[in-house]
Amino acid sequence: CCCCCCCCCCCCCCCCCCCCCCCCRRLPIVQGGSFAYISPVLAIAAQIKATHTFASEQERFLFTMREVQGGIIGSGLIVMVIGLTGVIRPVLRAISPITVAANIAVLGLALYAVGFPGVAGCPQLGLMQIGWVILFSQYLKGVAIPLPRGLGKLRVFELFPVLLGILLSWFIAWLLTISGNYNSAAPEVQAACRTDQSSVLYNSPWFRFPYPGQWGPINISWGGTLTMLAGALPAMVESLGDYFAAADIAGAPVPPPGVISRAIALQGATCALAGAWGTTSGTTAYNENIGAMQITRVGSRRVIQLGAVCAVIMGLIGKFGGLFASMPNAMVSGLFCVMFGCICAGGPAASSGSSRSSSVHRRCQGYQSRA
């Protein structure tokens, strides 16, 4: 059931991201699952386990999923109302470039807790993953590979630094695994370094098509809605920084309050859609998408839309999701370190429009640097 749930979550989040990217028509933003929903989901699951009795674990799982679904739908509708009514516009008018800069920088720094602990579990693999992406994206970006039949040259390292880094790191990790380098290592080290520790790929179905209500009748309650709202509101604030960061990277004008209000309303709608399809997470603007734009220097809406469509198709292939779910944790953490670093670096860049002579702005930048 857990495997099916993860597969379903991937599919629904991809559907939401495609919808957002196609409808906004202003910024190359992708909507997907958010870390902010993890704590509320665990709180609902713990509360149900402590206060309810079930005949089997399967029944408890289904009841929990229906409760989580209702909470995500209810909190998503509240976020949509916030966007449609425009109650956030007065706040947006008071946001200056320095405020956006601090928000973006703190956002990237806060996410480092997801990356570095995983790299520490297997530093030889995590640091190698970081090194490959930096090498390809920063030092080999100008190297062009000739195409056959005189079709020109392709800057493959600049276009695919993350994909190439994953393939090389994964191949080396596989060689180290089959050669027995980790056979005598501690269990936690093997879990972080070996490529044969996960059975997700073997147990995943080839194809899976999620549908609304697949876990049974959805249970919408005030308790579940308010609990999931604790994740929906931080995800909404997180998206605010991503909107400004995406505009800065893509060279677009600063989004006006009306556009951001509509984007927030659409985010609430995608949260409700994700909940109806049975995921365990609402949606937010993807930080990883911002990091990928910074690394590849590609900010085209058409490219992001095509990538979102590909994500929807790949999300329906269970084996594809199982393949990436079986990646060693250190590799994933290494990618997070690079991408979240790019997000953090976008903070000072976003403050370029602020007044350098303002003492308030200088103090804010000082606090941001200390963070």
Side-chain angles (χ1 to χ4, degrees), residues 322-342:
L323 176 65
F324 279 91
S326 63
M327 281 176 50
N329 182 57
M331 286 179 54
V332 180
S333 299
L335 290 173
F336 282 166
C337 288
V338 176
M339 292 187 176
F340 295 157
C342 291

mmCIF file with all atom_site columns, all heavy atoms in Angstrom, residues 322-342:
data_model
loop_
_atom_site.group_PDB
_atom_site.id
_atom_site.type_symbol
_atom_site.label_atom_id
_atom_site.label_alt_id
_atom_site.label_comp_id
_atom_site.label_asym_id
_atom_site.label_entity_id
_atom_site.label_seq_id
_atom_site.pdbx_PDB_ins_code
_atom_site.Cartn_x
_atom_site.Cartn_y
_atom_site.Cartn_z
_atom_site.occupancy
_atom_site.B_iso_or_equiv
_atom_site.pdbx_formal_charge
_atom_site.auth_seq_id
_atom_site.auth_comp_id
_atom_site.auth_asym_id
_atom_site.auth_atom_id
_atom_site.pdbx_PDB_model_num
ATOM 1   N N   . GLY A 1 322 ? 9.920  3.917  -9.523  1.00 0.00 ? 322 GLY A N   1
ATOM 2   C CA  . GLY A 1 322 ? 10.664 3.002  -8.666  1.00 0.00 ? 322 GLY A CA  1
ATOM 3   C C   . GLY A 1 322 ? 12.154 3.062  -8.907  1.00 0.00 ? 322 GLY A C   1
ATOM 4   O O   . GLY A 1 322 ? 12.951 2.898  -7.979  1.00 0.00 ? 322 GLY A O   1
ATOM 5   N N   . LEU A 1 323 ? 12.552 3.325  -10.162 1.00 0.00 ? 323 LEU A N   1
ATOM 6   C CA  . LEU A 1 323 ? 13.973 3.431  -10.480 1.00 0.00 ? 323 LEU A CA  1
ATOM 7   C C   . LEU A 1 323 ? 14.619 4.586  -9.729  1.00 0.00 ? 323 LEU A C   1
ATOM 8   O O   . LEU A 1 323 ? 15.673 4.439  -9.107  1.00 0.00 ? 323 LEU A O   1
ATOM 9   C CB  . LEU A 1 323 ? 14.144 3.603  -11.993 1.00 0.00 ? 323 LEU A CB  1
ATOM 10  C CG  . LEU A 1 323 ? 15.577 3.820  -12.497 1.00 0.00 ? 323 LEU A CG  1
ATOM 11  C CD1 . LEU A 1 323 ? 16.420 2.577  -12.233 1.00 0.00 ? 323 LEU A CD1 1
ATOM 12  C CD2 . LEU A 1 323 ? 15.579 4.151  -13.985 1.00 0.00 ? 323 LEU A CD2 1
ATOM 13  N N   . PHE A 1 324 ? 13.980 5.751  -9.762  1.00 0.00 ? 324 PHE A N   1
ATOM 14  C CA  . PHE A 1 324 ? 14.559 6.904  -9.075  1.00 0.00 ? 324 PHE A CA  1
ATOM 15  C C   . PHE A 1 324 ? 14.385 6.804  -7.567  1.00 0.00 ? 324 PHE A C   1
ATOM 16  O O   . PHE A 1 324 ? 15.197 7.344  -6.812  1.00 0.00 ? 324 PHE A O   1
ATOM 17  C CB  . PHE A 1 324 ? 13.931 8.193  -9.603  1.00 0.00 ? 324 PHE A CB  1
ATOM 18  C CG  . PHE A 1 324 ? 14.533 8.650  -10.893 1.00 0.00 ? 324 PHE A CG  1
ATOM 19  C CD1 . PHE A 1 324 ? 14.003 8.246  -12.107 1.00 0.00 ? 324 PHE A CD1 1
ATOM 20  C CD2 . PHE A 1 324 ? 15.646 9.466  -10.910 1.00 0.00 ? 324 PHE A CD2 1
ATOM 21  C CE1 . PHE A 1 324 ? 14.568 8.657  -13.310 1.00 0.00 ? 324 PHE A CE1 1
ATOM 22  C CE2 . PHE A 1 324 ? 16.222 9.888  -12.098 1.00 0.00 ? 324 PHE A CE2 1
ATOM 23  C CZ  . PHE A 1 324 ? 15.678 9.475  -13.307 1.00 0.00 ? 324 PHE A CZ  1
ATOM 24  N N   . ALA A 1 325 ? 13.341 6.119  -7.130  1.00 0.00 ? 325 ALA A N   1
ATOM 25  C CA  . ALA A 1 325 ? 13.178 5.916  -5.695  1.00 0.00 ? 325 ALA A CA  1
ATOM 26  C C   . ALA A 1 325 ? 14.244 4.988  -5.129  1.00 0.00 ? 325 ALA A C   1
ATOM 27  O O   . ALA A 1 325 ? 14.520 5.014  -3.923  1.00 0.00 ? 325 ALA A O   1
ATOM 28  C CB  . ALA A 1 325 ? 11.791 5.354  -5.399  1.00 0.00 ? 325 ALA A CB  1
ATOM 29  N N   . SER A 1 326 ? 14.860 4.177  -5.995  1.00 0.00 ? 326 SER A N   1
ATOM 30  C CA  . SER A 1 326 ? 15.909 3.264  -5.548  1.00 0.00 ? 326 SER A CA  1
ATOM 31  C C   . SER A 1 326 ? 17.299 3.895  -5.576  1.00 0.00 ? 326 SER A C   1
ATOM 32  O O   . SER A 1 326 ? 18.284 3.224  -5.281  1.00 0.00 ? 326 SER A O   1
ATOM 33  C CB  . SER A 1 326 ? 15.906 2.006  -6.434  1.00 0.00 ? 326 SER A CB  1
ATOM 34  O OG  . SER A 1 326 ? 16.203 2.324  -7.786  1.00 0.00 ? 326 SER A OG  1
ATOM 35  N N   . MET A 1 327 ? 17.397 5.176  -5.948  1.00 0.00 ? 327 MET A N   1
ATOM 36  C CA  . MET A 1 327 ? 18.692 5.857  -5.921  1.00 0.00 ? 327 MET A CA  1
ATOM 37  C C   . MET A 1 327 ? 19.225 5.907  -4.496  1.00 0.00 ? 327 MET A C   1
ATOM 38  O O   . MET A 1 327 ? 18.463 6.107  -3.553  1.00 0.00 ? 327 MET A O   1
ATOM 39  C CB  . MET A 1 327 ? 18.565 7.294  -6.453  1.00 0.00 ? 327 MET A CB  1
ATOM 40  C CG  . MET A 1 327 ? 18.514 7.410  -7.954  1.00 0.00 ? 327 MET A CG  1
ATOM 41  S SD  . MET A 1 327 ? 18.258 9.115  -8.497  1.00 0.00 ? 327 MET A SD  1
ATOM 42  C CE  . MET A 1 327 ? 19.506 9.983  -7.571  1.00 0.00 ? 327 MET A CE  1
ATOM 43  N N   . PRO A 1 328 ? 20.537 5.734  -4.310  1.00 0.00 ? 328 PRO A N   1
ATOM 44  C CA  . PRO A 1 328 ? 21.109 5.889  -2.968  1.00 0.00 ? 328 PRO A CA  1
ATOM 45  C C   . PRO A 1 328 ? 20.787 7.260  -2.382  1.00 0.00 ? 328 PRO A C   1
ATOM 46  O O   . PRO A 1 328 ? 20.811 8.271  -3.086  1.00 0.00 ? 328 PRO A O   1
ATOM 47  C CB  . PRO A 1 328 ? 22.618 5.718  -3.210  1.00 0.00 ? 328 PRO A CB  1
ATOM 48  C CG  . PRO A 1 328 ? 22.725 4.908  -4.459  1.00 0.00 ? 328 PRO A CG  1
ATOM 49  C CD  . PRO A 1 328 ? 21.547 5.320  -5.303  1.00 0.00 ? 328 PRO A CD  1
ATOM 50  N N   . ASN A 1 329 ? 20.492 7.297  -1.106  1.00 0.00 ? 329 ASN A N   1
ATOM 51  C CA  . ASN A 1 329 ? 20.074 8.533  -0.456  1.00 0.00 ? 329 ASN A CA  1
ATOM 52  C C   . ASN A 1 329 ? 21.146 9.618  -0.542  1.00 0.00 ? 329 ASN A C   1
ATOM 53  O O   . ASN A 1 329 ? 20.832 10.803 -0.648  1.00 0.00 ? 329 ASN A O   1
ATOM 54  C CB  . ASN A 1 329 ? 19.737 8.249  1.005   1.00 0.00 ? 329 ASN A CB  1
ATOM 55  C CG  . ASN A 1 329 ? 19.243 9.491  1.724   1.00 0.00 ? 329 ASN A CG  1
ATOM 56  O OD1 . ASN A 1 329 ? 18.275 10.111 1.309   1.00 0.00 ? 329 ASN A OD1 1
ATOM 57  N ND2 . ASN A 1 329 ? 19.907 9.859  2.810   1.00 0.00 ? 329 ASN A ND2 1
ATOM 58  N N   . ALA A 1 330 ? 22.414 9.230  -0.510  1.00 0.00 ? 330 ALA A N   1
ATOM 59  C CA  . ALA A 1 330 ? 23.492 10.220 -0.564  1.00 0.00 ? 330 ALA A CA  1
ATOM 60  C C   . ALA A 1 330 ? 23.496 10.970 -1.888  1.00 0.00 ? 330 ALA A C   1
ATOM 61  O O   . ALA A 1 330 ? 23.827 12.161 -1.938  1.00 0.00 ? 330 ALA A O   1
ATOM 62  C CB  . ALA A 1 330 ? 24.840 9.548  -0.324  1.00 0.00 ? 330 ALA A CB  1
ATOM 63  N N   . MET A 1 331 ? 23.141 10.290 -2.977  1.00 0.00 ? 331 MET A N   1
ATOM 64  C CA  . MET A 1 331 ? 23.075 10.954 -4.277  1.00 0.00 ? 331 MET A CA  1
ATOM 65  C C   . MET A 1 331 ? 21.975 12.012 -4.298  1.00 0.00 ? 331 MET A C   1
ATOM 66  O O   . MET A 1 331 ? 22.182 13.139 -4.766  1.00 0.00 ? 331 MET A O   1
ATOM 67  C CB  . MET A 1 331 ? 22.840 9.924  -5.382  1.00 0.00 ? 331 MET A CB  1
ATOM 68  C CG  . MET A 1 331 ? 24.041 9.073  -5.730  1.00 0.00 ? 331 MET A CG  1
ATOM 69  S SD  . MET A 1 331 ? 23.633 7.877  -7.031  1.00 0.00 ? 331 MET A SD  1
ATOM 70  C CE  . MET A 1 331 ? 22.957 8.940  -8.299  1.00 0.00 ? 331 MET A CE  1
ATOM 71  N N   . VAL A 1 332 ? 20.807 11.653 -3.802  1.00 0.00 ? 332 VAL A N   1
ATOM 72  C CA  . VAL A 1 332 ? 19.692 12.599 -3.758  1.00 0.00 ? 332 VAL A CA  1
ATOM 73  C C   . VAL A 1 332 ? 20.049 13.795 -2.883  1.00 0.00 ? 332 VAL A C   1
ATOM 74  O O   . VAL A 1 332 ? 19.784 14.950 -3.239  1.00 0.00 ? 332 VAL A O   1
ATOM 75  C CB  . VAL A 1 332 ? 18.426 11.902 -3.234  1.00 0.00 ? 332 VAL A CB  1
ATOM 76  C CG1 . VAL A 1 332 ? 17.261 12.883 -3.179  1.00 0.00 ? 332 VAL A CG1 1
ATOM 77  C CG2 . VAL A 1 332 ? 18.073 10.704 -4.098  1.00 0.00 ? 332 VAL A CG2 1
ATOM 78  N N   . SER A 1 333 ? 20.683 13.541 -1.740  1.00 0.00 ? 333 SER A N   1
ATOM 79  C CA  . SER A 1 333 ? 21.071 14.632 -0.841  1.00 0.00 ? 333 SER A CA  1
ATOM 80  C C   . SER A 1 333 ? 22.102 15.540 -1.496  1.00 0.00 ? 333 SER A C   1
ATOM 81  O O   . SER A 1 333 ? 22.076 16.763 -1.308  1.00 0.00 ? 333 SER A O   1
ATOM 82  C CB  . SER A 1 333 ? 21.623 14.057 0.460   1.00 0.00 ? 333 SER A CB  1
ATOM 83  O OG  . SER A 1 333 ? 20.646 13.271 1.120   1.00 0.00 ? 333 SER A OG  1
ATOM 84  N N   . GLY A 1 334 ? 23.028 14.962 -2.273  1.00 0.00 ? 334 GLY A N   1
ATOM 85  C CA  . GLY A 1 334 ? 24.003 15.782 -2.982  1.00 0.00 ? 334 GLY A CA  1
ATOM 86  C C   . GLY A 1 334 ? 23.353 16.713 -3.985  1.00 0.00 ? 334 GLY A C   1
ATOM 87  O O   . GLY A 1 334 ? 23.736 17.884 -4.119  1.00 0.00 ? 334 GLY A O   1
ATOM 88  N N   . LEU A 1 335 ? 22.338 16.208 -4.703  1.00 0.00 ? 335 LEU A N   1
ATOM 89  C CA  . LEU A 1 335 ? 21.607 17.060 -5.638  1.00 0.00 ? 335 LEU A CA  1
ATOM 90  C C   . LEU A 1 335 ? 20.877 18.178 -4.902  1.00 0.00 ? 335 LEU A C   1
ATOM 91  O O   . LEU A 1 335 ? 20.842 19.323 -5.370  1.00 0.00 ? 335 LEU A O   1
ATOM 92  C CB  . LEU A 1 335 ? 20.606 16.217 -6.426  1.00 0.00 ? 335 LEU A CB  1
ATOM 93  C CG  . LEU A 1 335 ? 21.190 15.235 -7.436  1.00 0.00 ? 335 LEU A CG  1
ATOM 94  C CD1 . LEU A 1 335 ? 20.091 14.348 -8.008  1.00 0.00 ? 335 LEU A CD1 1
ATOM 95  C CD2 . LEU A 1 335 ? 21.909 15.969 -8.549  1.00 0.00 ? 335 LEU A CD2 1
ATOM 96  N N   . PHE A 1 336 ? 20.300 17.852 -3.749  1.00 0.00 ? 336 PHE A N   1
ATOM 97  C CA  . PHE A 1 336 ? 19.620 18.879 -2.959  1.00 0.00 ? 336 PHE A CA  1
ATOM 98  C C   . PHE A 1 336 ? 20.594 19.981 -2.557  1.00 0.00 ? 336 PHE A C   1
ATOM 99  O O   . PHE A 1 336 ? 20.245 21.169 -2.589  1.00 0.00 ? 336 PHE A O   1
ATOM 100 C CB  . PHE A 1 336 ? 18.996 18.248 -1.717  1.00 0.00 ? 336 PHE A CB  1
ATOM 101 C CG  . PHE A 1 336 ? 17.716 17.510 -1.976  1.00 0.00 ? 336 PHE A CG  1
ATOM 102 C CD1 . PHE A 1 336 ? 17.177 16.648 -1.030  1.00 0.00 ? 336 PHE A CD1 1
ATOM 103 C CD2 . PHE A 1 336 ? 17.037 17.662 -3.175  1.00 0.00 ? 336 PHE A CD2 1
ATOM 104 C CE1 . PHE A 1 336 ? 15.995 15.978 -1.267  1.00 0.00 ? 336 PHE A CE1 1
ATOM 105 C CE2 . PHE A 1 336 ? 15.858 16.988 -3.436  1.00 0.00 ? 336 PHE A CE2 1
ATOM 106 C CZ  . PHE A 1 336 ? 15.338 16.147 -2.470  1.00 0.00 ? 336 PHE A CZ  1
ATOM 107 N N   . CYS A 1 337 ? 21.795 19.611 -2.155  1.00 0.00 ? 337 CYS A N   1
ATOM 108 C CA  . CYS A 1 337 ? 22.775 20.619 -1.723  1.00 0.00 ? 337 CYS A CA  1
ATOM 109 C C   . CYS A 1 337 ? 23.076 21.609 -2.839  1.00 0.00 ? 337 CYS A C   1
ATOM 110 O O   . CYS A 1 337 ? 23.156 22.822 -2.608  1.00 0.00 ? 337 CYS A O   1
ATOM 111 C CB  . CYS A 1 337 ? 24.061 19.927 -1.268  1.00 0.00 ? 337 CYS A CB  1
ATOM 112 S SG  . CYS A 1 337 ? 23.926 19.047 0.306   1.00 0.00 ? 337 CYS A SG  1
ATOM 113 N N   . VAL A 1 338 ? 23.254 21.101 -4.064  1.00 0.00 ? 338 VAL A N   1
ATOM 114 C CA  . VAL A 1 338 ? 23.569 21.983 -5.188  1.00 0.00 ? 338 VAL A CA  1
ATOM 115 C C   . VAL A 1 338 ? 22.388 22.884 -5.520  1.00 0.00 ? 338 VAL A C   1
ATOM 116 O O   . VAL A 1 338 ? 22.529 24.104 -5.673  1.00 0.00 ? 338 VAL A O   1
ATOM 117 C CB  . VAL A 1 338 ? 23.976 21.150 -6.416  1.00 0.00 ? 338 VAL A CB  1
ATOM 118 C CG1 . VAL A 1 338 ? 24.211 22.059 -7.618  1.00 0.00 ? 338 VAL A CG1 1
ATOM 119 C CG2 . VAL A 1 338 ? 25.235 20.352 -6.127  1.00 0.00 ? 338 VAL A CG2 1
ATOM 120 N N   . MET A 1 339 ? 21.201 22.291 -5.628  1.00 0.00 ? 339 MET A N   1
ATOM 121 C CA  . MET A 1 339 ? 20.037 23.068 -6.055  1.00 0.00 ? 339 MET A CA  1
ATOM 122 C C   . MET A 1 339 ? 19.599 24.060 -4.987  1.00 0.00 ? 339 MET A C   1
ATOM 123 O O   . MET A 1 339 ? 19.257 25.206 -5.294  1.00 0.00 ? 339 MET A O   1
ATOM 124 C CB  . MET A 1 339 ? 18.894 22.116 -6.399  1.00 0.00 ? 339 MET A CB  1
ATOM 125 C CG  . MET A 1 339 ? 19.164 21.276 -7.625  1.00 0.00 ? 339 MET A CG  1
ATOM 126 S SD  . MET A 1 339 ? 17.738 20.310 -8.152  1.00 0.00 ? 339 MET A SD  1
ATOM 127 C CE  . MET A 1 339 ? 18.400 19.561 -9.647  1.00 0.00 ? 339 MET A CE  1
ATOM 128 N N   . PHE A 1 340 ? 19.623 23.652 -3.729  1.00 0.00 ? 340 PHE A N   1
ATOM 129 C CA  . PHE A 1 340 ? 19.234 24.580 -2.673  1.00 0.00 ? 340 PHE A CA  1
ATOM 130 C C   . PHE A 1 340 ? 20.284 25.677 -2.511  1.00 0.00 ? 340 PHE A C   1
ATOM 131 O O   . PHE A 1 340 ? 19.956 26.786 -2.089  1.00 0.00 ? 340 PHE A O   1
ATOM 132 C CB  . PHE A 1 340 ? 19.036 23.827 -1.360  1.00 0.00 ? 340 PHE A CB  1
ATOM 133 C CG  . PHE A 1 340 ? 17.886 22.846 -1.391  1.00 0.00 ? 340 PHE A CG  1
ATOM 134 C CD1 . PHE A 1 340 ? 17.836 21.770 -0.526  1.00 0.00 ? 340 PHE A CD1 1
ATOM 135 C CD2 . PHE A 1 340 ? 16.860 22.999 -2.307  1.00 0.00 ? 340 PHE A CD2 1
ATOM 136 C CE1 . PHE A 1 340 ? 16.783 20.871 -0.564  1.00 0.00 ? 340 PHE A CE1 1
ATOM 137 C CE2 . PHE A 1 340 ? 15.802 22.110 -2.363  1.00 0.00 ? 340 PHE A CE2 1
ATOM 138 C CZ  . PHE A 1 340 ? 15.765 21.049 -1.483  1.00 0.00 ? 340 PHE A CZ  1
ATOM 139 N N   . GLY A 1 341 ? 21.533 25.377 -2.838  1.00 0.00 ? 341 GLY A N   1
ATOM 140 C CA  . GLY A 1 341 ? 22.555 26.419 -2.831  1.00 0.00 ? 341 GLY A CA  1
ATOM 141 C C   . GLY A 1 341 ? 22.282 27.473 -3.886  1.00 0.00 ? 341 GLY A C   1
ATOM 142 O O   . GLY A 1 341 ? 22.484 28.670 -3.660  1.00 0.00 ? 341 GLY A O   1
ATOM 143 N N   . CYS A 1 342 ? 21.795 27.015 -5.054  1.00 0.00 ? 342 CYS A N   1
ATOM 144 C CA  . CYS A 1 342 ? 21.442 27.968 -6.111  1.00 0.00 ? 342 CYS A CA  1
ATOM 145 C C   . CYS A 1 342 ? 20.272 28.849 -5.679  1.00 0.00 ? 342 CYS A C   1
ATOM 146 O O   . CYS A 1 342 ? 20.224 30.041 -5.998  1.00 0.00 ? 342 CYS A O   1
ATOM 147 C CB  . CYS A 1 342 ? 21.086 27.212 -7.390  1.00 0.00 ? 342 CYS A CB  1
ATOM 148 S SG  . CYS A 1 342 ? 22.473 26.379 -8.178  1.00 0.00 ? 342 CYS A SG  1
#
